[in-house]
Amino acid sequence: MKLSEMAVRSGVASSTLKHWIRVGILPPGRLRNKTTAVYDQRHVDRAQLIALMRDEYRASVEQIRALTSLIDDEESSTLDVMNACQFFALGTPPASADDPALAPFRERTHELMRRRDWRGYPGPPNRVSRTHWPRPPRSDSTTTSMI
């Protein structure tokens, strides 16, 4: 698709798309000839992501570049990207992940993750039998049970 069609599909003005390509937060299209590039659905998706980050989160070009670079980096794990997205959405500086004052909260979070047997948390797994979890209240005969 041409830039004009990408603008329609993404809901972002052509001039804005050109600016994003110039500053490096939107990848350039594949050149068809010297004056025309071709774009695909990935460009539309990225433009919509950038627009959301800019409009809803008031993100700077530098903040958008940092997050989209991490997303594009094949060495980044899903957990790394999810953590960066969380820091971005909450407006929390990434350095807070190592802030000693937040250590009790991190440990409580990690303990919950261990109990749920989630992957990607620091520390050894701590398997908890489901029999130790609180049981849901019993329903009477008129209520259907949830599975």
Side-chain angles (χ1 to χ4, degrees), residues 52-132:
L52 174 84
M53 293 165 67
R54 179 196 64 186
D55 298 343
E56 297 297 322
Y57 293 97
R58 304 288 187 244
S60 67
V61 168
E62 292 76 24
Q63 291 170 313
I64 293 169
R65 181 181 294 113
L67 186 55
T68 56
S69 294
L70 184 67
I71 291 168
D72 293 339
D73 183 357
E74 292 181 12
E75 299 294 317
S76 296
S77 71
T78 302
L79 185 60
D80 291 337
V81 173
M82 290 172 63
N83 283 336
C85 289
Q86 181 177 345
F87 287 133
F88 177 85
L90 295 175
T92 309
S96 65
D98 299 322
D99 185 345
L102 300 176
F105 301 105
R106 275 193 301 279
E107 186 48 44
R108 286 173 42 197
T109 303
H110 296 158
E111 179 59 28
L112 175 63
M113 294 171 80
R114 284 188 286 272
R115 286 184 183 185
R116 300 288 187 199
D117 195 27
W118 289 0
R119 305 290 187 253
Y121 57 85
N126 182 12
R127 302 218 185 258
V128 177
S129 167
R130 288 187 68 88
T131 59
H132 293 101

Side-chain angles (χ1 to χ4, degrees), residues 26-48:
L26 181 65
R30 181 180 47 82
L31 287 178
R32 183 173 1 156
N33 58 45
K34 287 186 177 190
T35 60
T36 306
V38 178
Y39 302 91
D40 59 28
Q41 185 61 42
R42 292 176 301 153
H43 290 92
V44 173
D45 295 342
R46 177 58 58 91
Q48 290 174 331

